[in-house]
Amino acid sequence: MATLTPAATVDRTGVSLDTLRYYEREGLIGPIGRTAGGHRAYTEEDVFWIGLVTCFRDAGLGIADLRRFVEMLRGDQTRTERVAFLRERRTAMEQQMAALQRAMQHLDDKIAYYS
């Protein structure tokens, strides 16, 4: 099985080396394999998990939520439980988006007023 060096993984995922190590420490990815020399060796599966975690971070999920969802994926939770978890997070995102829309409208109103 082909593996990637940490530098190649950074290039491939766009995630910094510090972030990769942080995700590993938090249990969001890994455990990451090691070479005979003790260097990290990332697999395609690791790259998949990094992408998943990064996507959810970009969507605003916090580390605790990410940790919980990763546990759900690795554990024996049902699809129904996973979907319920994701729907709850989606509802929270919708509420955040609505609040941002209201704030943007307020700013637009002030820009128009002062223009």
Side-chain angles (χ1 to χ4, degrees):
M1 176 190 317
T3 59
L4 298 167
T5 65
T9 304
V10 165
D11 288 342
R12 178 102 173 264
T13 63
V15 174
S16 73
L17 190 56
D18 288 338
T19 299
L20 290 176
R21 290 181 179 153
Y22 176 70
Y23 287 172
E24 184 179 3
R25 274 193 315 273
E26 291 297 320
L28 302 175
I29 63 171
I32 304 301
R34 302 284 180 146
T35 65
H39 299 283
R40 287 176 176 83
Y42 294 87
T43 64
E44 287 300 320
E45 184 175 346
D46 296 327
V47 169
F48 166 80
W49 281 99
I50 293 163
L52 181 70
V53 169
T54 301
C55 177
F56 284 150
R57 284 291 291 155
D58 290 346
L61 270 72
I63 295 299
D65 281 340
L66 283 168
R67 198 177 298 120
R68 176 70 183 124
F69 190 66
V70 166
E71 288 170 4
M72 292 176 88
L73 290 175
R74 291 180 178 162
D76 59 356
Q77 281 74 19
T78 65
R79 283 178 175 252
T80 302
E81 292 170 308
R82 293 172 187 166
V83 168
F85 176 87
L86 292 172
R87 282 192 175 137
E88 288 172 10
R89 295 319 166 278
R90 188 179 193 291
T91 298
M93 285 178 63
E94 286 174 338
Q95 292 168 351
Q96 290 172 331
M97 287 173 56
L100 284 172
Q101 294 262 337
R102 288 188 301 274
M104 285 177 50
Q105 184 59 56
H106 185 72
L107 288 173
D108 288 343
D109 292 345
K110 292 300 178 191
I111 290 168
Y113 177 80
Y114 291 115
S115 292

